[in-house]
Amino acid sequence: LPPQFSGLLGTVYRRGNLSFTRDGNSLLSPVGNRISLFDLKNNKCETLPLATRLNIVCVGLSPDGSLAILIDEEGAALLVSLIGKCVIHQFYFHKPVHSVSFSPDGKKFVVTKDNLAYLYHAPGKKREFNAFVLDKTYYGPYDETTCIDWTDDSKCFAVGSKDMSTWVFGAERWANLIYYSLGGHKDVIVACFFEENSLDLYTISQDAALCVWQCDTELDGLKPMPPKDAAKEKKAAEDDEELLEEPKGEEIHGKADSSEQETRNKVKYSRVAKYFFNKEGDFNNLTAAAYHKKTHLLVTGFASGIFHLHELPDFNLIHSLSISDQRIASISINCTGDWIAFGCSGLGQLLVWEWQSESYVLKQQGHFNSMVSLAYSPDGQYIVTGGEDGKVKVWNTSSSFCFVTFTEHNSGVTAVTFTSTGYVVLSASLDGTVRAFDLHRYRNFRTFTSPRPSQFSCLVVDSSGEIVAAGSQDSFEIFIWSMQSGRLLDVLAGHEGPISSLSFNPMKCVLASASWDKTVKLWDMLDSWRTKETLIMNSDVLVVAFRPDGKELAVAALNGQITFWDHENAAQTGSIEGRHDLQMGRKELDKITAKQAAKGKSFTTLCYSADGQSILAGGLSKFVCLYNVKEQILMKKFEISCNYSLDAMEEYLDRRKMTEFGSMALIDEGGGGDEGVAIPLPGVKRGDMSYRHFKPEIRVTCVRFCPTGRSWAATTTEGLLLYSLDSGLIFDPFELDIDVTPRNIHKTLSQKEYTMAIVMAFKLNEKKLIQEVIEAVPSSEVDVVCSSLPDLYVEKLLEFLASAFETSCHLEFYLIWAHKLLMLHGQKLKTRSVKLLPVIQFLQKSIQRHFEDVSKLCEWNIYNIKYALAISQQRGMKRPAEETPGDEEELDSDSDYLM
């Protein structure tokens, strides 16, 4: 069964608004065309298994936290269940949407596009044919709308606009408030907020000005419209709707200059104060704001990366801090008012700040430019990535968080790898250095350089972790260093073109090097690095990879072919013609078709699966191909993205974008106007004329299989994508016969025939049933059951134990099982070590994680008990000396199994 998409790492925020969930413990962040949910209490991140067609620009979260509306750049909306993590309904708004907001009672939601506000009935708990029913359309602003805020009782909402005005509309037709227009600003309105349980309003503009508006009427003072007038207006709206193709609901037309007669006996607003943020003048454009009504806390973010905390209505400054050197694009405050989330789209930063303790709850940043390389740690627990921004980041696969970033490189990182111990990360860069980083102390402890400056394009370390090799793309040489001493051992010359890829044989001391000179050379490490063999190809070689057992070599060339070699005899054993499987897309500015462009494309990254039976291949395309090596056939094509905001996604040109003057993509709209970018060129009125908008091209730069064999990862334009087998309910029986049923398994178990029950449970292959059977075996019987278990089921039981460790709380019980199985069947398992390696590594990863957690806890408890004993002895409350060693032995025994 093919792996399913399981997570997106490496990118934490792109654009759009951040939203805290109802309990305030989780944060929703738009990442391109996907949405990530950060659980801040449990320190975990999850990417929902759904995607929009284009990048998400705004997210609306329902008050109960069960529904979310995701709207992309063109106005296509998805109604998503955050409980079931699935799409419920799709809707198209026909034009770009600026903001969306649910009413506090959850019955309505407002969407703003162009200069209009649309009020919809929110989807309820019952099933509906059409989830989005339009109720009212509000006219008023002359320019595009920018923000929305609701009163606490859902009776009214306010809309800010680029025409410097703010409009207050009634969600129902109130006799004394249908619409009200507020001015008072000299720039675009960025945010507007109602005071708690009041119609009083705060408006904030881009020139860092805050206006405080006082209303002469309370919320309870809003009078319903007389039934006669309401019925007359409703009938008029229905008559108009019959003539329209698209229903607009009831229309409310606001006027900025209402006559005195119209405003008599109506709600009136008066400006009681106006405040300015930038008295010092060191920051200009205000870009984002959020307000917490209960604590009266106003948070404002600026284009320079500075944010302010003010207490309203007195405008007292609490904090003024800088968190970035890029503009703050979005701010959100959680329900308690303790945590503030900031999103900076320029650098892809996501920060959650606890303002009272002045500490970070979350601080994450992806690679600024695209990722180029990745590598799994030997136990599959960590992934290291290298990017064009010169950063090396290490990610935890279970939490999806980056826990360390190394910034020592001065240029783009081209390759990264782990040593066999898993505690050292190596990276090669275009700055002419290979650096080794220690994951215990988080420091750069070795720097390898060449005699003459060289740009390193590839990197590899041997299975012992003692020898480091890097290939140069300008001097055509391979440099060999010693990890222990850091000295240069040898320089391998012989290639006549840039070195494109290196690979060490996992089982023998042989290095394979690929070059653009159409050769693959095999170097013998034990025989003074002499060339053992030279394999001649038909085209420039781009990537080379050894099978995990070291008996086969895969080579991908510029002509799109993947060839397989028996390197011992220098004989080709097979080939795959993969160019057609890449299925290139056509770029917006391409002059030739995708079919013609594909003739010059090829795979740029290869990786064998953990068992060596399959091979993954990726390149300049939105597809990653999985091939069966023996049969040489395509098993599955993974579409890594459906985001049409990226270039080269479509196979054919979009005719809607073609005009008589050529493609619309050629028309550069300039930029920087909306983002509040400082103007660097003299005489420029709007934005930065030197700015050029471009669409990133979809591509796969690196693919790697996890050593556990359960998942694989790819670095792409979107970020680091993980595909895993561990998802969903799958019925996958094994040697099933007619007598194997859950009832018979329970019957066998009640008769205490444990071995038979385990075998039957594995035949049915239901995870919950296997768990029930294994946990029913008494710990005293584990030894007997393990010794009588058939060899075929030992491997399956080990694989089950590895997955059970990740979720089960019966840690000691499962450790007994693992210990007995390995002790009794170790010799037999050793003969099949190559095949079983992924299972053993999966088990090691699970046990290692628990060992780290429990050992820390045990050490802390031992320290506390020793401290308590020392204190009690000081106070004269001495305990019998013979009891003390026993206590420590008990504590140490908890971690004995894990050792």
Side-chain angles (χ1 to χ4, degrees):
L1 284 155
Q4 304 294 318
F5 173 77
S6 68
L8 172 66
L9 282 72
T11 317
V12 288
Y13 174 73
R14 282 270 170 84
R15 61 179 292 193
N17 59 304
L18 300 168
S19 307
F20 273 101
T21 52
R22 187 186 179 190
D23 59 3
N25 295 334
S26 299
L27 180 69
L28 278 174
S29 171
V31 184
N33 67 331
R34 297 182 184 274
I35 194 122
S36 290
L37 184 66
F38 292 88
D39 185 346
L40 302 171
K41 284 278 186 193
N42 299 317
N43 199 37
K44 280 195 173 180
C45 169
E46 178 190 12
T47 306
L48 303 189
L50 45 95
T52 55
R53 193 171 172 273
L54 297 161
N55 285 336
I56 295 169
V57 290
C58 50
V59 179
L61 195 61
S62 65
D64 61 358
S66 61
L67 296 174
I69 296 173
L70 315 178
I71 304 175
D72 70 18
E73 291 167 341
E74 283 186 355
L78 295 181
L79 178 67
V80 172
S81 165
L82 294 178
I83 298 163
K85 290 163 190 164
C86 59
V87 177
I88 298 171
H89 183 67
Q90 295 182 355
F91 190 79
Y92 189 43
F93 286 110
H94 299 287
K95 283 183 181 176
V97 171
H98 303 114
S99 48
V100 58
S101 178
F102 274 89
S103 62
D105 62 6
K107 291 180 180 176
K108 305 271 178 80
F109 69 88
V110 172
V111 166
T112 62
K113 59 178 183 181
D114 288 345
N115 60 335
L116 306 178
Y118 296 87
L119 183 68
Y120 284 86
H121 290 285
K125 304 283 186 226
K126 62 182 188 297
R127 293 185 180 185
E128 295 164 298
F129 175 67
N130 183 8
F132 287 29
V133 179
L134 184 62
D135 183 24
K136 294 181 181 69
T137 304
Y138 295 87
Y139 296 78
Y142 294 106
D143 204 342
E144 289 180 357
T145 46
T146 55
C147 54
I148 309 166
D149 192 54
W150 284 85
T151 55
D152 286 347
D153 60 358
S154 307
K155 287 183 177 178
C156 300
F157 64 91
V159 174
S161 168
K162 286 185 179 177
D163 68 1
M164 302 176 283
S165 66
T166 309
W167 292 74
V168 181
F169 293 112
E172 303 294 332
R173 272 186 172 271
W174 306 109
N176 53 345
L177 176 61
I178 298 169
Y179 61 86
Y180 200 101
S181 173
L182 302 166
H185 284 282
K186 295 178 181 177
D187 208 338
V188 174
I189 305 294
V190 172
C192 54
F193 305 109
F194 280 106
E195 189 52 272
E196 188 181 17
N197 296 317
S198 168
L199 280 169
D200 294 353
L201 191 67
Y202 301 108
T203 57
I204 302 164
S205 62
Q206 196 172 288
D207 61 353
L210 166 73
C211 287
V212 182
W213 303 90
Q214 196 171 29
C215 185
D216 64 352
T217 311
E218 293 296 317
L219 282 169
D220 299 337
L222 293 174
K223 301 168 192 165
M225 191 170 270
K228 284 181 187 175
D229 297 354
K232 199 187 294 178
E233 291 196 9
K234 194 173 181 183
K235 190 174 186 304
E238 282 171 4
D239 293 344
D240 289 347
E241 245 178 67
E242 287 174 14
L243 306 170
L244 295 168
E245 289 179 20
E246 185 189 344
K248 290 194 174 182
E250 187 183 343
E251 292 187 14
I252 293 170
H253 293 264
K255 297 176 192 171
D257 49 347
S258 303
S259 63
E260 196 179 321
Q261 192 177 347
E262 285 175 354
T263 56
R264 197 176 296 151
N265 301 324
K266 298 280 173 79
V267 166
K268 286 188 179 64
Y269 275 93
S270 57
R271 192 175 79 190
V272 291
K274 187 171 185 180
Y275 301 106
F276 295 93
F277 291 89
N278 56 343
K279 286 176 185 173
E280 296 86 8
D282 56 346
F283 34 81
N284 47 7
N285 285 348
L286 190 147
T287 54
Y291 180 60
H292 192 257
K293 295 180 182 180
K294 286 178 183 169
T295 55
H296 304 285
L297 184 74
L298 175 71
V299 188
T300 48
F302 293 82
S304 55
I306 291 170
F307 77 92
H308 289 276
L309 266 69
H310 283 90
E311 189 181 14
L312 294 182
D314 300 328
F315 201 66
N316 298 327
L317 182 67
I318 301 167
H319 278 319
S320 177
L321 293 161
S322 175
I323 53 161
S324 174
D325 55 0
Q326 296 275 334
R327 77 184 271 275
I328 296 169
S330 178
I331 301 175
S332 181
I333 309 175
N334 77 339
C335 56
T336 59
D338 296 328
W339 293 349
I340 305 163
F342 299 96
C344 301
S345 54
L347 292 172
Q349 286 176 312
L350 181 63
L351 307 152
V352 179
W353 170 265
E354 188 169 28
W355 65 274
Q356 285 167 324
S357 65
E358 296 187 32
S359 60
Y360 286 110
V361 177
L362 173 76
K363 190 179 184 183
Q364 290 285 300
Q365 182 180 344
H367 285 279
F368 177 56
N369 289 340
S370 58
M371 290 184 203
V372 174
S373 177
L374 86 119
Y376 269 100
S377 63
D379 61 0
Q381 204 168 342
Y382 306 120
I383 291 176
V384 61
T385 58
E388 288 175 357
D389 57 359
K391 288 179 182 173
V392 175
K393 288 177 172 283
V394 188
W395 307 82
N396 188 319
T397 52
S398 53
S399 70
S400 299
F401 283 131
C402 170
F403 61 90
V404 63
T405 302
F406 300 109
T407 56
E408 277 81 0
H409 284 297
N410 300 322
S411 187
V413 175
T414 51
V416 288
T417 185
F418 271 96
T419 58
S420 53
T421 60
Y423 298 119
V424 175
V425 168
L426 287 146
S427 62
S429 170
L430 296 174
D431 65 4
T433 62
V434 171
R435 294 178 185 269
F437 302 99
D438 178 7
L439 288 187
H440 281 309
R441 296 182 182 83
Y442 301 140
R443 65 193 176 98
N444 174 203
F445 70 94
R446 283 268 185 283
T447 303
F448 308 101
T449 55
S450 54
R452 292 186 307 279
S454 297
Q455 291 190 315
F456 297 120
S457 57
C458 48
L459 170 74
V460 72
V461 63
D462 77 327
S463 52
S464 67
E466 291 299 315
I467 293 170
V468 179
S472 165
Q473 67 180 29
D474 45 11
S475 66
F476 313 157
E477 293 167 327
I478 301 161
F479 298 91
I480 311 290
W481 295 276
S482 162
M483 175 68 91
Q484 284 288 330
S485 63
R487 286 175 51 223
L488 182 69
L489 298 176
D490 209 341
V491 179
L492 309 183
H495 280 294
E496 296 168 9
I499 313 295
S500 54
S501 178
L502 295 172
S503 180
F504 263 114
N505 188 324
M507 300 299 166
K508 291 183 181 174
C509 306
V510 175
L511 173 70
S513 63
S515 170
W516 292 6
D517 62 6
K518 303 184 183 179
T519 63
V520 172
K521 289 185 184 290
L522 298 167
W523 311 82
D524 194 342
M525 217 185 341
L526 301 177
D527 190 14
S528 306
W529 292 104
R530 285 187 191 156
T531 311
K532 191 180 171 188
E533 200 70 61
T534 302
L535 309 177
I536 309 294
M537 303 291 160
N538 299 328
S539 186
D540 296 11
V541 186
L542 299 180
V543 61
V544 64
F546 273 105
R547 201 164 69 184
D549 63 0
K551 290 178 181 174
E552 188 177 73
L553 185 70
V555 178
L558 195 61
N559 58 6
Q561 273 194 341
I562 302 171
T563 51
F564 300 98
W565 295 77
D566 173 5
H567 62 91
E568 291 288 332
N569 305 314
Q572 187 176 332
T573 56
S575 70
I576 294 169
E577 186 65 54
R579 187 186 294 140
H580 299 297
D581 300 327
L582 261 174
Q583 204 171 326
M584 297 295 301
R586 183 168 179 174
K587 288 193 244 177
E588 284 185 338
L589 303 178
D590 273 358
K591 297 284 188 284
I592 56 172
T593 61
K595 199 173 181 181
Q596 289 286 30
K599 289 180 181 176
K601 302 299 178 187
S602 53
F603 292 114
T604 56
T605 175
L606 287 179
C607 182
Y608 274 99
S609 61
D611 57 7
Q613 292 178 7
S614 312
I615 194 163
L616 269 177
L620 295 174
S621 157
K622 64 176 176 178
F623 291 104
V624 171
C625 303
L626 182 66
Y627 293 100
N628 184 302
V629 177
K630 193 178 175 185
E631 302 292 335
Q632 293 169 18
I633 55 167
L634 179 69
M635 290 163 65
K636 173 132 180 95
K637 265 166 84 168
F638 297 93
E639 188 177 3
I640 55 161
S641 178
C642 57
N643 186 359
Y644 284 85
S645 295
L646 301 172
D647 207 357
M649 284 293 293
E650 297 184 85
E651 198 172 342
Y652 302 103
L653 279 181
D654 189 348
R655 295 291 172 199
R656 291 171 297 180
K657 291 181 181 173
M658 298 302 289
T659 66
E660 56 188 308
F661 307 108
S663 173
M664 292 282 281
L666 289 164
I667 301 164
D668 199 349
E669 295 175 1
D674 299 340
E675 279 88 39
V677 176
I679 298 168
L681 295 178
V684 176
K685 293 277 177 68
R686 180 182 167 83
D688 173 9
M689 298 299 281
S690 66
Y691 173 90
R692 290 292 173 268
H693 174 74
F694 70 97
K695 284 173 86 170
E697 184 186 346
I698 185 72
R699 60 177 176 169
V700 179
T701 49
C702 188
V703 290
R704 289 288 178 268
F705 250 104
C706 180
T708 63
R710 306 292 300 168
S711 59
W712 61 269
T715 50
T716 69
T717 316
E718 290 267 78
L720 174 61
L721 300 175
L722 288 184
Y723 285 79
S724 172
L725 285 169
D726 307 318
S727 59
L729 291 166
I730 296 162
F731 179 62
D732 184 20
F734 173 74
E735 292 187 355
L736 191 63
D737 58 44
I738 199 162
D739 296 326
V740 178
T741 61
R743 184 182 287 177
N744 284 354
I745 292 168
H746 286 121
K747 190 178 175 184
T748 311
L749 199 60
S750 64
Q751 292 166 359
K752 297 189 178 180
E753 294 180 18
Y754 299 120
T755 309
M756 181 62 92
I758 288 171
V759 169
M760 289 170 76
F762 274 113
K763 282 184 175 180
L764 200 60
N765 213 358
E766 284 270 351
K767 194 176 176 182
K768 283 190 177 176
L769 193 61
I770 296 167
Q771 187 175 341
E772 186 186 336
V773 171
I774 285 173
E775 287 179 3
V777 179
S779 56
S780 57
E781 298 283 325
V782 171
D783 204 345
V784 180
V785 173
C786 286
S787 59
S788 61
L789 203 64
D791 291 348
L792 190 63
Y793 294 94
V794 171
E795 184 186 335
K796 290 196 163 293
L797 184 53
L798 280 172
E799 195 172 339
F800 170 77
L801 290 174
S803 61
F805 271 120
E806 295 194 330
T807 52
S808 178
C809 56
H810 304 298
L811 186 56
E812 188 183 357
F813 181 70
Y814 281 120
L815 282 168
I816 293 169
W817 271 101
H819 182 246
K820 297 292 182 192
L821 275 174
L822 293 170
M823 289 298 286
L824 291 165
H825 298 274
Q827 288 300 322
K828 289 177 188 172
L829 293 172
K830 208 169 183 180
T831 58
R832 293 182 290 141
S833 60
V834 175
K835 192 185 173 192
L836 284 172
L837 192 63
V839 176
I840 300 297
Q841 282 177 327
F842 187 26
L843 186 67
Q844 184 194 353
K845 172 191 170 184
S846 304
I847 293 174
Q848 182 68 27
R849 196 164 62 87
H850 281 297
F851 172 67
E852 286 169 6
D853 293 344
V854 175
S855 59
K856 280 178 190 170
L857 189 66
C858 288
E859 282 167 13
W860 177 244
N861 287 345
I862 290 166
Y863 170 76
N864 279 339
I865 286 175
K866 282 181 178 175
Y867 177 74
L869 285 169
I871 293 289
S872 65
Q873 283 169 2
Q874 272 183 2
R875 291 179 180 173
M877 296 161 58
K878 291 189 177 178
R879 297 176 61 193
E882 64 272 7
E883 282 184 33
T884 311
D887 293 339
E888 287 185 29
E889 279 170 27
E890 279 177 36
L891 285 163
D892 286 337
S893 69
D894 289 347
S895 56
D896 278 350
Y897 282 110
L898 292 162
M899 297 292 273

